[in-house]
Amino acid sequence: MSQELDYLSSCIAAGRLSRREFLGRAMALGLSAAFANSLLVAAARAQAPKKGGILRAGLQSGQATDTLDPAHVTGRSLVTFGKCWGELLMDVTPDGGLEYRIAEEIGSSKDAKTWTMKIRKGILFHNGKEVTPQDVVATLERHSDKDSKSDAYGSMQGIESIKADGGDVVITLKDPNADLPYLLTAFNLIIQPNGGKDKPGEGVSAGPYKVTVFEPGVRYGGEKFKDYWQGDKLGHADQIEVVVINDDTARISALQGNQVHMIDRVGPKIVDLLKRVPGVNIQNVAGRACYVFNMFCDTAPFDNNDLRMALKHAIDREEMLDKVLRGYGSVGNDFPVNDAYPLFPDGIEQRAFDPDKAKFHYQKSGHSGPILLRTSDVAFPGAVDAAQLYQQSAAKAGISIEVKREPSDGYWSEVWKKQPFMMSYWPGFPTQDQMYSSAYQSAAPYNDTRFFNERFDKLLIEARGELDQGKRKNLYREMATILRDEGGVIAPMFNQYIDATGRGVQGFMKHPARDMGNGYALTQCWLEA
């Protein structure tokens, strides 16, 4: 609850919530009216946001192949920059609710197959044209078109038709889906003029900043959009800049030297050291993110499930949690869902390091010789250390793992989804359906384990339309078990997001969905004089 209260207090201090809205949401969390009022008074005393200046973030994961086309945005730096210039229909709040943006409200038919969104009037694109329902329709059409190869296609493929109806947009689904509003929060679904069908990489939307600089893999910048519809609440700095700094040590140095005002991916092993730096604040929050080792299920030798099971039993999760995350996380169970998700399938036996079982499955697989694992500093903080720990634990089961450290630049374009055994991460999603639809359904655009399972796909569709929460939870339990025992993902640990802000930075709002306050830090923060 403290996380939600921090968020509400930050919103009231920044002017993003009215007094009535604050009291209503605080009391909905179970607080008494008296206590909610006391929090309101304390929040009201907080200093109002300062306007002006240049706010800079030093972020990881930029590369020379970066693009502004929302359909193909994957790196963390581009996601954060996208939430500076782009505007979504809606997004997720830290307490799991919905914050409406271009969409003013959304509702469904009783069977959850027909959804109607009311589109907010008076919002302008950076080119001066008003956002219309037709622009929304065109945007969703583009991302739900398989030929567009949009990374959001996994979430959008269930759409049968989209149409404008006056000031509304009506979406008809092929099958019921109670989670559609959450699918529409995907960071790729930036609303663009004519849906981006004309110039998708132009960087024009309706966000608080207009794109002024785009140097792929180097830096991205924007200037305040004077006609932004929430200009009194977001976009406090006159200019923002994302500086791509893939090297962990260089990012820390840039923050300490006041070259940037905030950084992402602070390694757990240096958190305590950084805490002692004057003016630096650690911004850590638990959520749904996990670190993974991906195997291609359709590529030898990983097309042998006994070998995959051997590798799953050969990893020492507790050791990784202790030595890599330093306690800033929790152990995983080889499916990318933890108890932070609604309808978490509890009761599944926790997989533990078991060299005897690993040896049994390894011998049964018939494989011999070293297994090549690719990793990089940008895979996740401590990835190289994690690979070496894995190498050591697997050796106890008689499995030889060869670790290859790949360059940071090009890792996401040349290794991820292209090499059969590599390390990666998932930031987590608002719902289990979105997680599975994005990465583990057979047709998923991010299917980075090449997992193709008809039973899993069928259960996913069934769960999507099941309105009985108990039955839906049971379906998710079977899906998790299939993925755990047959899939190509090894998920040893769920990480906390650990960011850091420097001297004078105010307004940072922690968010369990993604680092950098779900990507909004540059739009929410300001600099004290």
Side-chain angles (χ1 to χ4, degrees):
M1 182 185 293
S2 61
Q3 184 171 287
E4 288 83 354
L5 289 177
D6 288 344
Y7 170 71
L8 295 178
S9 297
S10 298
C11 284
I12 194 71
R16 298 182 62 203
L17 279 180
S18 68
R19 182 179 182 278
R20 176 174 293 182
E21 289 171 329
F22 177 88
L23 290 174
R25 292 178 65 172
M27 292 174 69
L29 291 173
L31 303 183
S32 67
F35 187 47
N37 267 297
S38 68
L39 290 176
L40 179 64
V41 171
R45 288 174 180 164
Q47 197 167 12
K50 294 288 194 302
K51 303 293 183 179
I54 301 176
L55 196 59
R56 292 187 176 90
L59 306 181
Q60 201 187 66
S61 296
Q63 52 192 11
T65 55
D66 285 349
T67 175
L68 286 178
D69 182 354
H72 306 298
V73 165
T74 54
R76 309 160 80 89
S77 56
L78 279 181
V79 171
T80 296
F81 187 54
K83 292 196 173 185
C84 292
W85 66 266
E87 190 66 294
L88 301 173
L89 289 165
M90 58 197 78
D91 214 334
V92 182
T93 62
D95 60 1
L98 290 172
E99 180 180 18
Y100 292 107
R101 291 179 174 263
I102 287 177
E104 200 166 9
E105 60 183 47
I106 188 170
S108 76
S109 58
K110 289 184 178 180
D111 63 0
K113 285 187 68 174
T114 302
W115 292 80
T116 302
M117 284 186 293
K118 182 179 180 181
I119 304 304
R120 199 180 302 273
K121 295 180 180 179
I123 297 179
L124 299 180
F125 284 122
H126 299 149
N127 61 13
K129 296 181 179 179
E130 184 172 353
V131 178
T132 67
Q134 288 74 21
D135 294 310
V136 174
V137 169
T139 297
L140 298 182
E141 283 179 343
R142 184 165 87 93
H143 292 284
S144 60
D145 180 2
K146 187 176 183 179
D147 293 336
S148 73
K149 301 187 185 305
S150 169
D151 291 332
Y153 177 70
S155 299
M156 297 290 99
Q157 61 181 318
I159 293 177
E160 182 174 90
S161 67
I162 313 163
K163 67 177 182 179
D165 181 13
D168 298 338
V169 169
V170 180
I171 301 174
T172 303
L173 304 178
K174 298 172 186 176
D175 300 288
N177 191 342
D179 288 340
L180 180 69
Y182 290 95
L183 299 184
L184 295 176
T185 67
F187 58 77
N188 307 93
L189 299 181
I190 290 173
I191 304 303
Q192 296 179 280
N194 195 30
K197 293 180 178 180
D198 304 317
K199 299 178 180 179
E202 192 176 29
V204 173
S205 183
Y209 291 95
K210 296 174 65 174
V211 177
T212 56
V213 177
F214 182 63
E215 299 176 15
V218 181
R219 66 187 184 108
Y220 324 116
E223 64 180 14
K224 187 174 176 65
F225 178 40
K226 63 181 180 61
D227 293 321
Y228 179 56
W229 69 285
Q230 290 195 104
D232 58 330
K233 298 178 180 179
L234 293 171
H236 306 299
D238 290 333
Q239 299 177 56
I240 55 93
E241 185 177 28
V242 172
V243 183
V244 176
I245 311 176
N246 287 324
D247 182 78
D248 294 346
T249 302
R251 269 198 322 284
I252 298 293
S253 297
L255 182 68
Q256 291 177 308
N258 209 32
Q259 296 169 308
V260 298
H261 302 102
M262 59 186 73
I263 60 173
D264 67 346
R265 285 197 156 189
V266 176
K269 64 183 179 182
I270 64 169
V271 169
D272 289 340
L273 179 65
L274 202 54
K275 283 180 178 179
R276 297 197 288 268
V277 177
V280 170
N281 290 299
I282 298 297
Q283 311 285 357
N284 63 295
V285 60
R288 300 163 184 170
C290 63
Y291 295 155
V292 294
F293 295 69
N294 290 331
M295 302 173 282
F296 283 177
C297 295
D298 66 348
T299 303
F302 309 103
D303 55 349
N304 184 312
N305 194 45
D306 276 300
L307 181 63
R308 297 199 298 271
M309 288 295 287
L311 290 169
K312 291 174 183 179
H313 285 294
I315 196 165
D316 192 331
R317 301 155 203 273
E318 293 289 351
E319 182 182 38
M320 283 195 183
L321 178 64
D322 179 52
K323 294 182 178 179
V324 176
L325 292 186
R326 304 295 176 99
Y328 286 95
S330 58
V331 294
N333 201 18
D334 296 336
F335 58 96
V337 170
N338 63 1
D339 58 7
Y341 280 89
L343 305 180
F344 171 70
D346 48 6
I348 298 176
E349 182 182 359
Q350 174 63 53
R351 181 165 286 149
F353 175 51
D354 192 328
D356 292 332
K357 283 186 178 179
K359 184 178 295 185
F360 168 79
H361 285 287
Y362 185 66
Q363 292 175 346
K364 189 177 177 183
S365 75
H367 181 79
S368 62
I371 298 171
L372 180 62
L373 170 65
R374 299 172 192 269
T375 188
S376 172
D377 291 325
V378 298
F380 55 79
V384 176
D385 292 339
Q388 292 169 346
L389 288 173
Y390 189 21
Q391 184 182 50
Q392 294 164 16
S393 65
K396 297 175 182 178
I399 302 173
S400 174
I401 292 179
E402 178 185 340
V403 176
K404 183 176 182 180
R405 186 173 183 171
E406 298 280 0
S408 298
D409 189 39
Y411 187 74
W412 299 111
S413 60
E414 302 302 324
V415 178
W416 181 58
K417 295 203 301 182
K418 293 186 178 180
Q419 297 298 334
F421 194 28
M422 54 82 67
M423 296 168 67
S424 184
Y425 73 95
W426 281 111
F429 292 85
T431 66
Q432 292 189 58
D433 179 84
Q434 194 170 3
M435 177 72 253
Y436 291 136
S437 298
S438 297
Y440 299 100
Q441 187 178 19
S442 295
Y446 296 138
N447 190 347
D448 52 8
T449 58
R450 299 188 184 178
F451 177 64
F452 308 108
N453 186 294
E454 291 184 7
R455 175 62 179 167
F456 184 90
D457 292 348
K458 182 180 179 181
L459 289 168
L460 179 62
I461 299 300
E462 187 178 348
R464 188 176 292 162
E466 179 56 69
L467 302 182
D468 183 296
Q469 299 299 288
K471 292 179 180 179
R472 198 177 192 197
K473 185 174 182 177
N474 287 333
L475 293 171
Y476 283 140
R477 178 180 288 105
E478 184 176 349
M479 289 168 63
T481 302
I482 290 173
L483 192 58
R484 174 184 182 270
D485 295 339
E486 301 177 33
V489 62
I490 304 172
M493 51 190 170
F494 286 81
N495 62 290
Q496 291 189 17
Y497 294 119
I498 310 177
D499 303 317
T501 52
R503 289 184 289 274
V505 176
Q506 300 293 325
F508 192 99
M509 298 183 187
K510 300 178 183 180
H511 201 300
R514 181 174 286 274
D515 52 2
M516 287 286 111
N518 196 21
Y520 288 109
L522 286 171
T523 71
Q524 295 172 339
C525 292
W526 64 90
L527 292 171
E528 292 292 343

